[in-house]
Amino acid sequence: MTFTHELSAEQRAREDDLVQRVLRSFDDCENPRLDQVLRSLVRHLHGFLREVRLTEAEWNTGIEFLTATGHITDDTRQEFILLSDVLGASMQTIAINNEAYGDATEATVFGPFFVEGSPRIDNGGDIAFGAKGQPCWVEGTVTGTDGKPVPGARIEVWEADDDGFYDVQYDDDRTAARAHLFTDEDGGYRFWAVTPTPYPIPHDGPVGRMLAAAGRSPMRASHLHFMVTAPGTRRLVTHIFVRGDELLDTDTVFGVKESLVKDFVRQPAGTPTPDGRPMDGDWSRVRFDIVLAPSDAS
C-alpha cells in the first residue's frame, strides 16, 4: 500500500531548505570521502523520511528499535550485522566490493558468528570437536584465476551444529564446528565437518520481531562458512549450500548464489571413507574447488 500526500509549495520549500542547511554543515569537512558519504547519507535519509512521511511516533519506534539492537549486541552476538543481513545491505556491500573477476569464486555474507582464534587442524582433520550432526567429508583445491594452485592458503571454516546453533550460542565456552587449516603444496585441502542443516537466525531480539511483523521467516538455508586468505589474493568470504534444500530461494539474508550450491552426496553406512576413518552410520561428502581473485582485482 502506498500513501500519498499532496504538499503545498511552502511545505516543500521548508523541507528542501532543511536538507540544504544540513548539507552545508559539512562544507568544512577536510576528508573528501567522509564528505561524500555524509552528504549522500543525508540526501537519502531525508529522501526516505519525506517519501514515507514518517510520523513522530514512527520515528520514536525506530529509535527504540536501534537502541534495543545496541543493547542486545555483545562480544558474541552482533545484532547490527544481523539487521544488515536481513535488509540485504550486507549482500549489496559484498557485491560492490567483490566485483566479478574471471572465474573467481563468488562471495557471500560473513554472518555474525565468526570468532577469531579458532583451533588449527591438519589436512584431513575434524572441525566438529563434538558438535552433533552427520559427518561430512569436505575436499577441494584452491587456485588463482590463472589456474595455478595456491599452497599455504589459510582456510577458516565454521558452521552450526545439527540443532542449529553455533558454539558461541551456548553458555559453556565450548569450541566446536569451527577451525582453520592450510592448503598443501598442490593447493589441496580436506577435512571432516558435519552436514549442514537449516536453522533460524537469532530471532529473540529486535531483528526477529521486525521479521515477524513483516511476515518474513528467520530461516537460513543449510550452509558451511569459508574464509580463504593468501598473499597476493583477494580475501574470500563465502558459503557452500546444500543442493535440494527447500530454503535456497528464501534464505533470510539473501546469501544464496547458484554457483555456491553443491552436491552433498549421502554415503550409506559401510561405505569406505577417504581416509579410512571408521564410520558407524551414514555420512556425506562434498567437493568445493575455490578460485581466488588477485588482490588488485577491482
Side-chain angles (χ1 to χ4, degrees), residues 40-101:
S40 181
L41 173 63
V42 167
R43 285 192 293 268
H44 285 277
L45 177 59
H46 283 250
F48 157 72
L49 296 171
R50 298 173 74 182
E51 177 184 339
V52 303
R53 311 307 298 171
L54 197 75
T55 68
E56 292 184 33
E58 290 166 340
W59 176 87
N60 190 63
T61 297
I63 295 297
E64 291 175 348
F65 172 82
L66 292 174
T67 301
T69 299
H71 284 168
I72 203 171
T73 296
D74 57 26
D75 58 351
T76 61
R77 175 169 179 164
Q78 234 302 351
E79 194 81 355
F80 280 105
I81 291 179
L82 206 61
L83 176 60
S84 174
D85 289 349
V86 302
L87 294 178
S90 299
M91 279 302 298
Q92 191 69 272
T93 303
I94 288 163
I96 292 166
N97 287 276
N98 291 270
E99 291 187 22
Y101 188 96

Side-chain angles (χ1 to χ4, degrees), residues 221-222 241-251 256 258 261:
S222 310
F241 298 88
V242 179
R243 194 178 308 280
D245 187 333
E246 63 182 14
L247 297 172
L248 290 175
D249 293 332
T250 58
D251 182 62
V256 178
E258 179 56 35
V261 178

Side-chain angles (χ1 to χ4, degrees), residues 42-200:
V42 167
R43 285 192 293 268
H44 285 277
L45 177 59
H46 283 250
F48 157 72
L49 296 171
R50 298 173 74 182
E51 177 184 339
V52 303
R53 311 307 298 171
L54 197 75
T55 68
E56 292 184 33
E58 290 166 340
W59 176 87
N60 190 63
T61 297
I63 295 297
E64 291 175 348
F65 172 82
L66 292 174
T67 301
T69 299
H71 284 168
I72 203 171
T73 296
D74 57 26
D75 58 351
T76 61
R77 175 169 179 164
Q78 234 302 351
E79 194 81 355
F80 280 105
I81 291 179
L82 206 61
L83 176 60
S84 174
D85 289 349
V86 302
L87 294 178
S90 299
M91 279 302 298
Q92 191 69 272
T93 303
I94 288 163
I96 292 166
N97 287 276
N98 291 270
E99 291 187 22
Y101 188 96
D103 60 348
T105 301
E106 291 190 273
T108 188
V109 292
F110 195 71
F113 294 115
F114 173 75
V115 176
E116 295 282 359
S118 68
R120 178 177 176 174
I121 61 169
D122 293 328
N123 262 301
D126 193 340
I127 78 164
F129 295 108
K132 293 196 297 184
Q134 180 192 61
C136 178
W137 176 257
V138 185
E139 62 184 342
T141 59
V142 178
T143 62
T145 51
D146 58 3
K148 295 179 181 179
V150 181
R154 180 182 175 119
I155 303 176
E156 291 271 1
V157 284
W158 68 102
E159 63 178 325
D161 62 20
D162 207 36
D163 291 327
F165 295 107
Y166 290 83
D167 53 3
V168 294
Q169 292 179 277
Y170 292 98
D171 58 7
D172 56 7
D173 296 323
R174 74 183 68 181
T175 297
R178 75 172 68 242
H180 70 275
L181 66 157
F182 293 86
T183 55
D184 61 25
E185 61 184 11
D186 298 317
Y189 74 90
R190 53 212 166 269
F191 60 90
W192 284 100
V194 296
T195 306
T197 53
Y199 68 86

